[in-house]
Every structure is written in C-alpha cells, then in structure tokens.
Amino acid sequence: MSELTGSAPRHAADERGRRLRIGMVCPYAFDRPGGVQAHVRELARTLTELGHYVSVLAPVDDDAAVPECVVSLGRTMALPYNGSVARVAFGPLSLARIRKWLRAGAFDVLHLHEPAAPSASMLACLLARGPIVATSHVAKHRSRTVAAAYPALQPLFEKITARIAVSALARQFQVEHFDGGGVEIPNGVAVATFADVVPLLGWPGVGGAVGFLGRLAEPRKGFKVLRDAFASIAEHRPELRLLVAGPGDPEVALAGMAPGVRNRVTMLGAVSEADKARMLRSVDVYVAPNIRGESFGMVLTEAMAAGACVLASDLDAFKRVLNSGGGAQPLAQAGELFAAGDSADLAVRLAALLDDPIRREQLSAQARAVVTRFDWSVVAAQVLEVYASAIAATSVYVEPAADAEVSAVERQLPTELAERLRE
Amino acid sequence: MSYVLVVIALAGAWALHLTWLAARLRRLHARSDAAAQALSLQLTRRALVVNDVATDHVALLADSAATLHFAVWLALHAAADEREAAESDLTRALQVAVRDNPMPAEQREQIFKNVVIQNRRVEMARVLYNDAVRDTCALRRRWLLRVLRLAAHLEHPKYFDIDTTLSMTALTASPPEALVTLVARTSQA
C-alpha cells in the first residue's frame, strides 16, 4: 500500500515517448473478482512495465490482498447499478480522499473506468481538471437509469477529454447515451500466462476431449446447447470426454443425460486463473456455445492464447475476435463457427473437428498468431496513444475568442516548422 | 419583509446558476479550442511526414511523389475554411500513391510506416475534437443561454470532417475519382 501523502515532481509530458504519471480510478472493490478489476490490474501492471508511473485508486475491503500501486479508498457499500449490485465507495469521505490523492499524485493524465457508475470514478471526474480519459466497460444496449440520469450528469461527462470503449457494444452504449464516439480498444489478455502451461494430468487422452468454461446455470452461456450436442455425438464415440469448468450445480446441469454419457463429463467447478489456463490446454476442442450477450469474447482470447482449437457460436463479438486479422495483413480465421443455439449444427461441426487433427493444428496455430494482437503490451500501447492525444488536446488556454481571427493553422504552422528546423 | 428575503435568495441562486453556466461554457470552449490546436498540429505533422516520404523515395514513387509534394503544399497552405478539403485530398493522394506503386507488402509497410502512425493520430485527434465540439454545441443549444446570449461572444465551434482512410493492403480501396478535387483545386490555383 502506498501512502496518500507525499508529492512527486510533475514533468511536462506533452510529447510521445515520455514517462507519464497516470492516475487510474477503479470503481469496484479491487480485492473482489470482476472483469473491470482484472482489466485495471493488468493495464496498470503493463503500463508500469513500460516505465510509466501508475497509481490506482480503488475501494478495498481487505488491505492485504492488493498490489503496491493501489491506493485504498476504504470499504465499499452496495449500490444497485446496471442490473446488479455493485460494491462501490461513494460519499463525502471518499470525496476528500480522492481530492488528496489527486493533489499528491500530480498526474499527467487521469484514467477513469466506468464513469457512468455512481462511484469513485464519477467523484474523481467531478473533482479533476485536465486530460481525463474514460473507459466504458458496460455491454448492454440501453440503460434507463443512465438515460434518465444523463442530463444531470452532463456537466461531469463534458469534462472527459477522450473516451475508450472495450468492445463494439460498449462503444454503441457510449454513442447512445453520451453522443460521443470514442476509440475502440479491445480488452487485453496476458498471452504469456496462458501459453506456457501444462495440461491437466491424463488430458486430453486418446479418445478426444471437449472443453467448456463458464457459469452452468446462466442460460446465455449456452451450456445446454453443448450438453445436447455432446450427448448426440458421444453415442458413437465411446472414449470422448467433456471437461467443464465453472461454478454451478452439476446435478441440475446434467439432469436427463444418459448415465453412460454422463460419467464421461468431468466437472471441475469454479477454477483459479492458473487452472483455467491448464484446463484450456487440456482439451482437443474448446467450445464457446454462448447464445447472446457476449460483448467482447474475453474467454475466446484466453482460449486462443492457450493454443486451443476454438469452435464458437456465430455471435458478432466472437466473429470479430476470430477474424480480427485486419490491419496490414488479414490473418486467416482463427477458429470455427456454428449457428448460435443450434446443438445439431454444433454436433456436426464438433464431430468434423474431432476427426481432423490437421485442421485442429492449423486453427490452433492461427489462433496463437491472431491473439498476439490482444496481448496487453499491444493494448497498452494503444491506450498510451489515447493518453498522448488527450494530453495534446488539453492545454491551458484561457481566452479562446480574443484572437479568433488568426486561424489556428497560421498560429501553429511556424512553430511546428521551427521545431523541425531545430531538430 | 420575508417576501423580500425570499426574492433576494432566489435572485442569488439565479445569479449563481448563471455564473456556473457561464463557467461551463467557457471551459467547454477552451476544451474545443485546445483540441482544435492539437488537431491542427497533428495534421501538420502528418503533412510533414508525407513530405519526407515523397522526398526520400522520389525515384520509387515517380509521379506520385510530385502529387504528394503538391498535396502537402496545398494542405499546409490551405485557409481555415479549405483545410478539410485539402487534408482529405492529401489522404486521397496517399491512397493513390499506394495504389499506383505496386511493391512488396513489407517494403510498402516500411516506407509508409510513419505516415500510417501519424494518420492514426490524426484520426484520434479528430475524434477528440469532434467530441469536444459536440459537448460545446449541446450546451450552447440551452434556451437560457440563447435567450441571454451568454455564448454570443464565443465563436461557435465547427465539426471537422475529413477522410482519413488509409489502408496499406486494400489496393482497390481508392475511389475512382480520388484526385478529382485535387485536380479541380489545382486548376483554380
């Protein structure tokens, strides 16, 4: 834990390539599991590795469990937000602590996560001036709460210099609610931690193994689709096995399966990050049967990093991740698709993949190539570009109207040319 | 007596509200203006990098090099109201230069590497600027500000829309009439 007090020298970071002082605010309790927390932790770690100074301000329930760069905002309280209960810190005491943190940090750029949630991010936006970057993680189409609260919050949001969305859906949410476009930067994945793991003992075995990851009871995750497809092809493949990781009641999830098929399903229950990586390495085909609502497809990038052969439902988010060659050289498709929710289609394609080890090897190799685009080092570089643009777009400029007649071009051109001549 | 106090309190709250609105308005215009300067600077950077590429590879790019030099000259000397067109023309001149000079992908990436980077930064600066303009205009539309003409002395910011599509792979991406505007402007000049 670092102290709130003590000030560090600010340096002008108006050029790219400088070391930046970055203040990051995470709205949710840092020591609890969650997508936003994981994102903030990895981004902060990567930026620190790149030589920047990062201080993360976040509510913390248990001080022992957080990394050194985290400044605690104290304990959280439960507030309903976005369809579930979020644990956030919100109140006058938080306000005072945030002010102190901002003053002591002397940041070049302030990065707020999920500023629309009533949380530390929103309070920091209220207090701060200067370059503010905000990342939206929300992935749903429209929120009545946010739409209703927007007019009251506009004075806050208009202080944001640059907006980032982690997925096309999150970007759409921003466009619908805040009119702002923003930049789309995908969620990262720590490729190295998934790439160098050993499979679980005895897996994948000779008879073929299929994998699933996700909450069993959540219909959107589509476990039922995979279960039915597995049951239909397992009849003709006596040694085929199914490896399932994720919280949920096995009795309920497997109800109605024939006993001969059922005993070939291995339930790992909820797994740690390390075991998740090993599990993804332990199967011949990883199936992502999600029916809807996957904003980015984090689980796919993790499977790709682990070198799994991916068979995913044809959701837009999944298609984008698997076909994300783009850029200079479009890479081949890094996994196969089936019609979302259609277990018959899944059964056909799964059987074909299980019978074709060469195709599986190709897909796995392509997945490893494609996933490097989602590595945190690449993603953090894109975020740094946004920081630099936000810093460049925020100069203290007092009276804009005074010399309006001189165009911005004419004012800037000689300076820029002079800079070049001096180089 | 109490009526007087209530009226004074209301007038005070009204004045505070107006002050707050005016401060927001000033802050938003400052934001738009700073973003405009950053965008202008970034456009200039891009033009200078394109100029360097055209100079360094004059033999390889042949006719395209001359076109690029000219497009850069036009972009750097464009008046404020012509800048959108001139910068879009520079993008199109780049598209045409990529299309008309077939070369191995690695070599092309090497030559245009810095141009691609600067172009991406232009795109980002443009997004930040247009977001600032959108927020500023949203506040300027408030009826109270319009009635009291609080924004009258502040210049109304304008959106900046240019073409920044620059693909190193899609050789067919260039529109057929890519240079029409450039040529039309040349004949005027």
Side-chain angles (χ1 to χ4, degrees), chain A residues 16 154-155 158 160-162 179-182 328 385-386 389-390 392-393 395 397 401 404 409 411-413 416 420, chain B residues 20 24 28 30-31 33-35 37-38 41 44-45 48 52 76 83 109 121 124 128 131 134-135 138 153 155 169:
Chain A
R16 295 176 203 249
Q154 198 187 3
E158 72 193 17
I160 296 170
T161 322
D179 287 339
E385 282 276 320
V386 177
S389 297
S395 59
Y397 194 81
V409 188
R411 269 207 310 274
Q412 284 309 316
L413 190 54
E416 176 70 15
R420 292 270 300 191
Chain B
W20 177 69
R24 264 177 75 191
L28 275 170
R31 179 180 152 207
D33 212 65
Q37 283 205 33
L41 203 64
T44 308
R45 273 198 197 105
L48 293 172
D52 285 355
L76 291 179
R83 197 153 193 209
E109 273 169 36
R121 291 177 182 172
M124 207 173 291
L128 297 199
D131 276 356
R134 194 172 293 120
D135 285 347
H153 68 293
E155 197 188 5
T169 44

Side-chain angles (χ1 to χ4, degrees), chain A residues 27-95:
Chain A
Y28 308 129
F30 207 74
D31 48 341
R32 285 167 185 265
V36 176
Q37 291 94 317
H39 180 105
V40 172
R41 186 182 302 119
E42 288 298 314
L43 182 59
R45 185 183 59 78
T46 314
L47 289 171
T48 310
E49 276 172 15
L50 289 170
H52 302 281
Y53 170 82
V54 185
S55 177
V56 178
L57 184 72
V60 174
D61 286 331
D62 175 14
D63 283 354
V66 296
E68 200 200 339
C69 66
V70 175
V71 173
S72 171
L73 194 54
R75 291 172 161 277
T76 55
M77 60 185 192
L79 271 186
Y81 172 69
N82 198 24
S84 65
V85 175
R87 300 202 63 88
V88 297
F90 200 71
L93 184 63
S94 300
L95 208 59

